[in-house]
Amino acid sequence: MIAASVSRAASGCTTERVDVALVGAGFAGLYLLYRLRKDGFTTVALEEADDVGGTWYWNRYPGARCDIQTIDYCYTFDPELESAWKWSEKYATQPEILRYLGFVADRYDLRRDIRFCTKVKRATWDQASERWLLTTDNDAAVSCRYYIMATGCLSSPKPPEIDGVKDFEGEVYFTGRWPHEEVKFAGKRVAVIGTGSSGIQAIPLIAEQAAQLTVLQRTPNFALPAHNGPAPADRVALLEGDRAGYREQARWSGAGVPLQLQTVFSWQLSAAERLERFENAWAAGDLFCMLRQLWADQGVDVDGNALVAELLRDKICATVKDPEIAASLIPYDHPFGAKRPCLDTNYYATFNRPNVTLVNLRQEPIKSIMASGIKTDKRTFDVDVIVFATGFDAMTGAIMAVHPIKGRGGKSLSDVWANGPQTYLGLTVTGFPNLFMITGPGSPSVLSNMVVSIEQHVDWAVNLLIAMREAGFTTFEATKTAQDGWIRHMADCSTLTLHRLANTWYTGANVPGKAQGVMPYTGGVGPYRGICDEVVSRGMLGFRLAGPNVAEQCNDGEIVRLQPDVRLVLKKLEEMKLAPIESLGAQGARDFVAELNADRPAGRPVGDVADGTLPGTDGPLPYRLYRPATPGPHPIVVYFHGGGWVLGDQHSDDPYCRDMCRRSGMIFVSIGYRHAPEYRFPTAAEDGYAATRWIAEHAAELGGRPGSVVVAGWSAGGNIAAVTCQLARDRGGPHIAGQLLVCPVTDCTFDRPSYNDNATGYFLTRSLMFWFWDLYCSPADRTDPRVSPLRGKLAGLPPAFVVTCEFDPLRDEGIAYADALAAAGVPVEQLKARGHIHTSFTMVDVVITGVSGRVQMAEALRRLAGLPPERKQVDASVRPARTASPRKIAAAAD
Ligand code: FAD
Ligand code: NAP
């Protein structure tokens, strides 16, 4: 059991002993205190400020408001609290949010356990007593079993990093440390440095008062109007109609706000339809509507994103009268949403005022601050007041400001995090037992409605402490395996969104010298919650739990080994409780696949799509041809679809063919070869060969480059492609320049490890493969190289690019084929796709993490066809600025 004795800082004793010490009295600290006390833990909260509120205590600058609608940005743990408080506006002001947090503190009598005006300076884990010792700036230390940092993601203001601030003789303010008394700007010359959300909120109001306002902007930001007012009636009706359901939906949503995900892609909409959606979102005045609800590809694909960004740029141009100023205000250096966009009230229109000057620091950087004002490369601005809206050392700043935090063996957290934060779930750190960080780096935190994320973290942490108490455990610590796995998962997730493409405080780029990398979890609030729950349901996976009178428990392992989106796809399929495909019969299975395909995202546009037939050995075979939009002639890829020789047709891998055609700049011809059980072995192989020969001979008629073709195929189609290469070599042509084999079937044995490791649970199952084999090929024929190409002669085959997926029964036979080709002297490249399943690469626009694999496949196809590498990858960087742009601003922070 956990000792629950408290000896308050009584006379002569300066160390207070509690079960749990928590730091911070913002949204997180207050809820923690409420929960810990309710669940019987002795607790003290330590807070630097002299009252509760956190963010809303410190950020009192004019215009400060939330940017998530207040009906969502509030506690949800107590329905009675919800009915006891009424918000006055759609986006509440800072004073109102501060009043709310004061109201919460009073309602649950929280202040009596908060030590205000107490800054925690150091924290040390004592292994012998298994307790943390916290030292503070007022000499009252705290000894605690558990130490919880609720210190905030945006609570450590960033120093201005400009020479001469101390020389300035006027008034200086920081938005993140705004004074309690009113600041008067009337009649004064004011400079604001910084145009993030804080600057963008403050600038219009300061402009209304000041005699002259100079805005010094280093990087322009996207901003959209808040259209503040009463909370929208439709949202209120939704909430009030089913409060519990509404809140639950938020908890499982992408960003902590209950909005439906968009499923329509930008290329499925006309320009007029896109504009209509954009205008509706603009009128709604809601960040998440604009960030997530226009079209499905806006947050994951640079092309889809560029369409939104262009429309936002048009709005800036339409509002700001002076085209020079408008040009300076338009962002070009980052995708929309990759940097936190701002909600504004009259921001752009403020630059039409005669008393406002915009200084573009990209053209004239600040040299220094002097006694009388600010000096740039080109000019001097004499001012009476400087407002620094220069932001925060975000996510890690407040944690690292407690220095040192010494964990097991005296290791300092700042050393462990020297190359960037490393956590398990964004909540705990290996080597630092009994330490929690609420909304720490590695959790959704700032990419979400933070109150939802705070409540989830607090509940999870306190529930763990309760469970430990019941089981007799007194220490917990994340294992290295679990933490390393989480870091890898974080990296995988970061490829899902465009945040990695911007230099922002999300990545640490705003603080000179800070290690860089996307710090918040980009996999979404709901999936994250599911993962945290799974850690618990799998016996505290990745945690070592110990106690004085119980055996140590450690279920070591990684919580997510699949790619994040693959995991979601599999979860969805699991929920659908589908009958095994092999139980449906051939026609039933075909109908099922057709049904699944009808629901998938439509493939992207290419130059031209044409259906036709070609002569096969026993009659015509249908094909579908995909031609790039670029001028031809293009090299031709003869493509064989997947489906175990039983399912699919020339259309069934349509999104994949379009995507590869677009990325490789090559013609794809997808062949409708005949299927088992109607046509058994070797029909598919012979059809594949016949089609390849005919296409090679008629390349010019198809608009292709004559001479040779490349063959490609996925799954059983990969088998046909591999076999076709062997037949072409042995039958005197056609000339095949290369082969792309994606998760190919290459051999008839089922005893390689991947067949057992991945026998079930990853869509393609071992028993489905048995069924496919049985329908296509009798046991006596299975060693024939026309179905088991691994058993054929491999020398003299065309160069190959072989793709295998970690969680695929066919993984090992794909690798075996690649290795055998290489051993036979065939040039081979392999892509072993970590965390992917058999269907990952053909689920285009569903499995976003498959993009990089398809990029590599497209590059390989170009190499095989003898084309130069493409100058620019479709997804690799932000689109060029529109031609009308007078200047393009460099991405990096100074
Ligand atoms: P905080 O509110 O930052 O509280 C942390 C507390 O810990 C502070 O009071 C600090 O003084 C204290 N502390 C830190 N270190 C120590 C120490 N060593 N010793 C003692 N005390 C310490 N998020 C949204 O989701 N929606 C919004 O609309 C939104 N608007 C925002 C507007 C602004 C201006 C800012 C800056 C942030 C905004 N955020 C918003 C993010 C906001 O920080 C969170 O929503 C939320 O308020 C964080 O609560 P918290 O308790 O985790 O941290
Ligand atoms: P921020 O987004 O980091 O913006 C800081 C601004 O200061 C940037 O424009 C930055 O330019 C500039 N800057 C920093 N150092 C500078 C220097 N040395 N010289 C010149 N310019 C410099 O910080 P923030 O505006 O305080 O916002 C931080 C986050 O808090 C927001 O993203 C949001 O999540 C939250 N917030 C929310 C609201 C709201 O609407 N509810 C309001 C305020 C804050 P560069 O971009 O070039 O670095």
Side-chain angles (χ1 to χ4, degrees):
M1 293 294 288
I2 295 162
S5 68
V6 194
S7 62
R8 284 268 160 199
S11 56
C13 170
T14 53
T15 300
E16 181 170 356
R17 279 176 71 85
V18 286
D19 296 334
V20 189
L22 64 99
V23 189
F27 266 104
L30 293 180
Y31 181 46
L32 256 174
L33 192 50
Y34 165 83
R35 271 290 322 253
L36 288 165
R37 212 200 252 170
K38 179 167 153 295
D39 289 301
F41 295 93
T42 59
T43 308
V44 66
L46 306 168
E47 169 57 61
E48 183 185 353
D50 65 9
D51 201 354
V52 299
T55 291
W56 305 101
Y57 171 95
W58 296 109
N59 292 266
R60 297 163 185 253
Y61 60 84
R65 291 175 187 273
C66 54
D67 60 4
I68 289 179
Q69 297 196 19
T70 334
I71 57 167
D72 297 308
Y73 184 67
C74 57
Y75 290 121
T76 65
F77 65 87
D78 180 357
E80 285 179 19
L81 169 64
E82 291 202 48
S83 39
W85 182 269
K86 281 274 162 292
W87 293 104
S88 67
E89 282 181 286
K90 179 176 161 192
Y91 297 106
T93 59
Q94 171 272 328
E96 186 174 5
I97 302 173
L98 187 59
R99 272 200 307 281
Y100 169 74
L101 290 170
F103 172 80
V104 170
D106 292 340
R107 184 179 172 89
Y108 303 106
D109 187 19
L110 299 177
R111 283 193 175 86
R112 73 178 150 89
D113 281 327
I114 306 175
R115 277 206 228 151
F116 292 109
C117 304
T118 303
K119 183 167 185 168
V120 175
K121 304 284 279 184
R122 283 182 296 280
T124 308
W125 172 252
D126 176 42
Q127 187 57 49
S129 64
E130 294 187 329
R131 297 182 75 85
W132 283 95
L133 181 69
L134 311 187
T135 44
T136 66
D137 63 350
N138 58 18
D139 288 339
V142 176
S143 164
C144 55
R145 175 76 67 203
Y146 304 104
Y147 167 34
I148 309 188
M149 301 191 77
T151 44
C153 295
L154 293 160
S155 59
S156 184
K158 189 176 79 92
E161 303 136 9
I162 300 170
D163 289 341
V165 179
K166 285 201 173 69
D167 301 334
F168 182 59
E169 289 174 354
E171 302 162 53
V172 172
Y173 301 102
F174 286 82
T175 50
R177 286 288 181 271
W178 202 259
H180 288 209
E181 58 280 5
E182 190 193 351
V183 176
K184 296 201 165 78
F185 294 108
K188 294 181 184 165
R189 297 162 304 169
V190 182
V192 175
I193 302 179
T195 52
S197 301
S198 303
I200 283 177
Q201 285 185 330
I203 284 163
L205 292 174
I206 297 176
E208 282 175 15
Q209 296 178 41
Q212 172 64 37
L213 173 64
T214 305
V215 176
L216 296 109
Q217 170 198 272
R218 189 163 65 182
T219 313
N221 247 343
F222 289 104
L224 47 135
H227 297 309
N228 205 9
D234 53 345
R235 284 282 276 279
V236 174
L238 275 179
L239 174 66
E240 288 178 353
D242 175 12
R243 189 171 286 273
Y246 182 97
R247 296 300 188 206
E248 197 58 9
Q249 202 188 329
R251 290 182 189 119
W252 291 97
S253 66
V257 176
L259 293 174
Q260 294 298 333
L261 276 187
Q262 240 331 315
T263 52
V264 176
F265 287 80
S266 60
W267 58 86
Q268 294 174 277
L269 299 165
S270 67
E273 286 167 330
R274 286 198 297 267
L275 183 62
E276 189 186 342
R277 283 172 179 236
F278 172 81
E279 289 293 352
N280 288 340
W282 184 264
D286 186 290
L287 208 50
F288 284 147
C289 281
M290 191 62 92
L291 277 168
R292 290 175 165 254
Q293 294 216 291
L294 300 184
W295 35 89
D297 47 321
Q298 69 178 104
V300 296
D301 179 272
V302 283
D303 291 337
N305 187 280
L307 294 164
V308 193
E310 262 320 84
L311 293 168
L312 287 162
R313 291 180 189 124
D314 288 344
K315 287 286 187 191
I316 301 173
C317 289
T319 310
V320 180
K321 290 186 184 142
D322 181 329
E324 268 283 299
I325 298 175
S328 284
L329 287 166
I330 292 177
Y332 281 105
D333 74 316
H334 63 276
F336 170 66
K339 188 172 189 157
R340 177 79 169 204
C342 314
L343 269 194
D344 77 273
T345 302
N346 296 330
Y347 176 63
Y348 293 115
T350 296
F351 293 93
N352 296 333
R353 295 175 66 102
N355 68 331
V356 176
T357 304
L358 178 69
V359 180
N360 184 337
L361 298 180
R362 296 287 175 197
Q363 292 167 353
E364 45 175 319
I366 297 176
K367 289 208 80 161
S368 65
I369 293 180
M370 314 161 309
S372 63
I374 300 169
K375 190 172 159 59
T376 70
D377 257 4
K378 293 184 180 159
R379 293 177 275 180
T380 298
F381 299 92
D382 287 339
V383 292
D384 307 305
V385 182
I386 301 179
V387 174
F388 287 99
T390 40
F392 300 88
D393 182 354
M395 308 218 56
T396 53
I399 296 173
M400 306 286 261
V402 176
H403 184 69
I405 299 176
K406 282 198 173 175
R408 195 185 285 286
K411 262 200 189 145
S412 162
L413 188 66
S414 51
D415 291 339
V416 173
W417 282 10
N419 296 320
Q422 306 189 359
T423 68
Y424 181 35
L425 305 172
L427 265 164
T428 63
V429 185
T430 307
F432 295 80
N434 290 9
L435 166 68
F436 282 122
M437 296 164 304
I438 303 300
T439 63
S443 71
S445 56
V446 290
L447 291 180
S448 68
N449 171 358
M450 288 226 28
V451 189
V452 167
S453 290
I454 284 169
E455 287 189 337
Q456 186 257 337
H457 262 190
V458 170
D459 288 337
W460 195 91
V462 178
N463 290 345
L464 171 59
L465 297 189
I466 295 170
M468 286 176 59
R469 182 172 61 188
E470 283 166 4
F473 293 119
T474 50
T475 62
F476 70 83
E477 184 180 340
T479 67
K480 184 164 171 4
T481 312
Q483 181 167 290
D484 289 349
W486 190 251
I487 293 165
R488 215 170 12 254
H489 175 59
M490 283 282 293
D492 291 341
C493 285
S494 77
T495 65
L496 287 177
T497 69
L498 303 178
H499 291 98
R500 69 192 185 285
L501 300 181
N503 293 318
T504 64
W505 60 261
Y506 292 143
T507 65
N510 67 327
V511 176
K514 186 166 173 171
Q516 293 198 27
V518 178
M519 290 187 285
Y521 179 78
T522 52
V525 164
Y528 175 81
R529 177 181 292 268
I531 290 168
C532 290
D533 290 353
E534 196 180 321
V535 167
V536 177
S537 68
R538 290 171 67 185
M540 292 310 297
L541 187 79
F543 281 99
R544 182 166 287 111
L545 306 176
N549 304 314
V550 286
E552 183 177 287
Q553 173 189 312
C554 181
N555 292 331
D556 205 1
E558 297 172 41
I559 185 65
V560 186
R561 292 182 57 210
L562 288 162
Q563 290 294 330
D565 39 8
V566 171
R567 181 177 174 274
L568 293 183
V569 167
L570 290 175
K571 283 230 169 291
K572 271 249 141 50
L573 288 171
E574 197 184 312
E575 280 162 25
M576 288 161 80
K577 297 199 186 324
L578 301 168
I581 295 176
E582 60 274 27
S583 70
L584 303 174
Q587 193 49 48
R590 286 171 189 155
D591 294 344
F592 165 77
V593 169
E595 212 178 296
L596 271 190
N597 285 349
D599 280 347
R600 70 187 169 185
R604 296 183 189 219
V606 293
D608 183 29
V609 178
D611 290 325
T613 53
L614 53 84
T617 38
D618 299 318
L621 295 176
Y623 69 81
R624 173 166 277 193
L625 182 145
Y626 302 86
R627 200 188 315 281
T630 49
H634 307 92
I636 294 183
V637 179
V638 183
Y639 177 76
F640 302 104
H641 65 81
W645 307 285
V646 176
L647 312 175
D649 56 29
Q650 69 276 17
H651 309 140
S652 57
D653 291 347
D654 184 76
Y656 178 77
C657 290
R658 287 171 181 269
D659 194 69
M660 294 304 294
C661 164
R662 191 175 140 259
R663 289 179 192 283
S664 65
M666 294 163 72
I667 289 175
F668 258 62
V669 187
S670 173
I671 308 301
Y673 57 88
R674 287 170 295 167
H675 290 140
E678 295 84 349
Y679 299 95
R680 286 167 61 85
F681 172 82
T683 309
E686 292 298 344
D687 282 357
Y689 172 70
T692 305
R693 197 177 56 193
W694 186 87
I695 289 168
E697 284 164 3
H698 297 80
E701 287 163 43
L702 296 171
R705 198 180 68 181
S708 65
V709 293
V710 173
V711 293
W714 166 57
S715 191
N719 173 272
I720 296 168
V723 169
T724 296
C725 290
Q726 296 192 9
L727 296 179
R729 176 201 56 198
D730 299 342
R731 295 178 183 175
H735 182 252
I736 296 178
Q739 45 183 328
L740 166 66
L741 310 179
V742 185
C743 306
V745 182
T746 69
D747 196 21
C748 56
T749 61
F750 307 109
D751 52 8
R752 291 187 174 83
S754 60
Y755 249 105
N756 293 317
D757 298 348
N758 308 317
T760 58
Y762 302 111
F763 196 77
L764 178 66
T765 61
R766 183 183 161 93
S767 75
L768 180 57
M769 277 310 298
F770 283 177
W771 184 68
F772 285 146
W773 272 100
D774 284 345
L775 291 191
Y776 183 51
C777 196
S778 67
D781 289 330
R782 290 187 187 182
T783 53
D784 189 312
R786 285 175 300 165
V787 68
S788 288
L790 185 58
R791 305 202 175 217
K793 186 182 129 209
L794 302 181
L797 289 175
F801 190 87
V802 182
V803 180
T804 51
C805 290
E806 185 180 2
F807 295 99
D808 180 0
L810 304 183
R811 178 195 67 205
D812 292 343
E813 66 193 75
I815 292 172
Y817 195 62
D819 290 345
L821 285 173
V826 176
V828 182
E829 291 176 79
Q830 286 198 55
L831 167 60
K832 295 179 182 172
R834 186 177 51 75
H836 281 289
I837 60 172
H838 188 71
T839 50
S840 281
F841 292 113
T842 48
M843 298 185 87
V844 178
D845 294 313
V846 174
V847 176
I848 308 295
T849 52
V851 168
S852 76
R854 285 197 306 279
V855 167
Q856 291 176 62
M857 291 178 216
E859 286 167 352
L861 285 175
R862 290 180 69 84
R863 275 195 302 280
L864 293 172
L867 293 176
E870 272 218 289
R871 261 170 297 136
K872 184 178 143 308
Q873 284 306 335
V874 186
D875 297 280
S877 65
V878 187
R879 253 197 168 176
R882 57 182 165 181
T883 44
S885 157
R887 54 186 82 90
K888 199 176 162 189
I889 294 167
D894 284 357

